[in-house]
Amino acid sequence: MNWIDLTPYIILALEQADYESDTIWITWLKIFIEKLNLVNLLDEKSEILKQAEW
């Protein structure tokens, strides 16, 4: 499976975590996105990712 195939699901998870103000989940998603080196997603969802706790 290509990691790029997960992008829509990662976006949905980020948006749901943002809706629920779940900063811990946002933090772990940010770490996951960084590990996958999805730079475009880091830029595209930077407003949500600013909420990451560390």
Side-chain angles (χ1 to χ4, degrees):
M1 172 165 53
N2 188 341
W3 288 113
I4 301 304
D5 296 339
L6 294 176
T7 301
Y9 303 104
I10 296 169
I11 291 170
L12 286 173
L14 269 175
E15 291 172 349
Q16 184 66 31
D18 182 40
Y19 176 76
E20 295 177 10
S21 300
D22 190 341
T23 57
I24 294 171
W25 187 226
I26 291 170
T27 301
W28 286 111
L29 286 167
K30 181 180 179 184
I31 291 168
F32 185 64
I33 291 166
E34 289 171 345
K35 293 281 185 192
L36 296 179
N37 199 28
L38 297 174
V39 178
N40 61 328
L41 194 53
L42 288 171
D43 293 337
E44 182 181 326
K45 296 298 180 181
S46 64
E47 285 301 312
I48 294 174
L49 294 169
K50 285 180 185 177
Q51 299 175 55
E53 292 195 355
W54 71 91

